Amino acid sequence: ISNKSASIDGAWSFVRQYITEDYQMGYESDWGHQTNFWGMPVLKKALIEELLKAKISKRQIAKICKVDRNTLCRFINTFLVEK
């Protein structure tokens, strides 16, 4: 965001809305699917949840996140409910 922007606060507000946990984690619509998420999540929690939903193995997820599987499993057990 340029320092010369006429609306720096508005621009940051716009960017901030896309990196909040609520936006990244999405929500279920009345039709049963996520409605406000597109692209690749930037939050680790959201990324791991999406990879688990896509049936990516924990071994592969650990490799993607550059952590060992034990660390990944602790993260999942602490922050996510496996489905």
Side-chain angles (χ1 to χ4, degrees):
I1 298 173
S2 172
N3 286 334
K4 296 177 183 180
S5 173
S7 181
I8 292 175
D9 291 338
W12 275 115
S13 178
F14 176 80
V15 170
R16 200 173 292 117
Q17 76 180 344
Y18 292 105
I19 59 174
T20 64
E21 185 171 356
D22 286 343
Y23 183 84
Q24 289 285 305
M25 298 305 290
Y27 63 89
E28 297 294 319
S29 72
D30 293 338
W31 301 287
H33 65 285
Q34 224 172 15
T35 59
N36 66 337
F37 176 77
W38 53 272
M40 180 176 276
V42 295
L43 295 177
K44 185 184 297 185
K45 181 178 175 181
L47 174 63
I48 292 171
E49 185 169 327
E50 288 299 309
L51 292 172
L52 288 169
K53 284 181 186 176
K55 305 279 190 235
I56 304 299
S57 73
K58 289 180 184 171
R59 180 185 303 264
Q60 283 298 108
I61 295 172
K63 191 173 181 180
I64 291 166
C65 295
K66 297 182 180 178
V67 298
D68 62 73
R69 282 186 291 163
N70 291 330
T71 301
L72 175 66
C73 288
R74 281 193 304 274
F75 183 87
I76 291 169
N77 291 335
T78 302
F79 297 106
L80 298 174
V81 176
E82 282 195 88
K83 296 173 184 169

